[in-house]
Amino acid sequence: MAATSSAHTLTEGPTVGAGFGRRQVHAVAACYFVASFAALGLPPYLTEILPELGDASARWAGLLYVVPTAFGALGAPLWGRAADRFGRKRLLLRAQLGLAVSFLVAGWADSLAAFVTALVLQGVLGGTFAASNGYLAAALTGSGLSRALTLMQGAARAALVLAPIVVGSLTPWISPHRQYALLAVLPLAAAVMLAALPEPTAEPPHADVAEVPEAAGPLAPPLAPPLAPLRALYAFEFAFVFSTVVSFPYLIALIEDRIPGVSPVVSGALFALPHLCYLLFALRVHQVVERRPLKGIAAGFALVASGLAGHGAADSLAAFAGVRLLLGAGLTLGLVSLSVLAAECAHGRPPGGMFGTLELVSKGGAVAAGLAAAAGNSLLGPPAPLLTGTATALLALAAATLPALFRRSPRIRWSR
């Protein structure tokens, strides 16, 4: 299959569609980064935003943390199928513009009801991650796609690293609540950049059809290579998102409780530390787990469980930094391995629908994590979500030893 030299350098494997290479992948990742800045960086400050809107104790923080995620999950499969039918670029632009509208509404909301409405709009109109991944999967395959998905996760981690720190630094001059309106310019800028990218027009790669023995007759159905197991991808995606996200909503409150007098900038930096690990080591880890993603996923769950358990005993800046780094190692191993597995599963499937469903599963894990965090915090305080995440990661690690999850599903394709 023909491919440009830049695309081959990026992907180290086959590509779909000439002219789609390193620059285009980096452009999509950059657009996702700028659009994600507010969506991923401001929710950790809900405990400071909600008192301005009438929720003095911020008791709704855990629930509202996942409102955009819940409504995004409901719409993700529909938007994914629409992208397969009407064009991936068009639906990706729609997602960016939808985010801009929702951020403006959130930034100027003057009541809790209006702010919740904005979060609902963010979920319904957003979905940039699934839209971006579907766009990439229509143009790349194999190792190239898994590297591109790893880069997309890097864009998300970069937003999580920088946004909490920037938001904390701007807090003396503009509240996190009003920063929603300020940061609405970012998805608008992303839409402008995406408008210059091509629409992936080539057909997705098809698996080669196995030869049929002559004795089987001309009408015998040839067997296509088996599909990668979606059930394993979905199960581990849900568990990994749940076990990591459950610690997010009340982490800053836990840090402030354990380290009295800590500044918002330091709290934001500790929140971002695991994601910084991903940025530094993801591509190197990709080289290690590319041929063994299931082992990488198991190791990721083991490190996540250890890191979350360590949060329960951390009571100093050094201790928190250590357990956050341990969690970062697990986050990197797990996310990169899941990207490799997702690239395998995308082979031979319509990318928009598959990544839309994957986002439904991922956001479902985040919604469950937010609800569990809110319930646990109300009963036992900020350490409770950490215990829940530890238990979930350990259960997923045990499930990773079940070979039935990883059996590929055979397909039958009739010759014409």
Side-chain angles (χ1 to χ4, degrees), residues 11-40:
T11 62
E12 300 175 358
T15 62
V16 180
F20 197 98
R22 183 190 302 270
R23 292 182 179 179
Q24 288 74 22
V25 172
H26 287 180
V28 174
C31 290
Y32 179 65
F33 166 76
V34 298
S36 302
F37 205 84
L40 298 177

Side-chain angles (χ1 to χ4, degrees), residues 32-51 53 55 58-70 99 102-103 106 115 118-120 122-123 156 159-168 171 175-181 183 245-253 256 267-268 271 275 363 366 370 373:
Y32 179 65
F33 166 76
V34 298
S36 302
F37 205 84
L40 298 177
L42 282 168
Y45 291 88
L46 283 175
T47 50
E48 297 184 19
I49 293 173
L50 294 182
L53 299 171
D55 183 9
R59 61 189 176 120
W60 295 107
L63 180 61
L64 295 186
Y65 195 95
V66 297
V67 164
T69 306
L99 276 184
S102 65
F103 291 165
F115 187 73
L119 296 181
V120 171
Q122 179 183 331
L160 281 170
V161 167
L162 296 176
I165 298 173
V166 172
V167 171
T171 296
S175 70
H177 175 206
R178 300 306 180 190
Q179 287 184 45
Y180 268 104
L183 297 178
V245 172
V246 73
S247 66
F248 287 3
Y250 299 99
L251 178 64
I252 289 179
E256 293 175 348
S267 298
F271 181 92
H275 313 292
K363 290 184 181 298

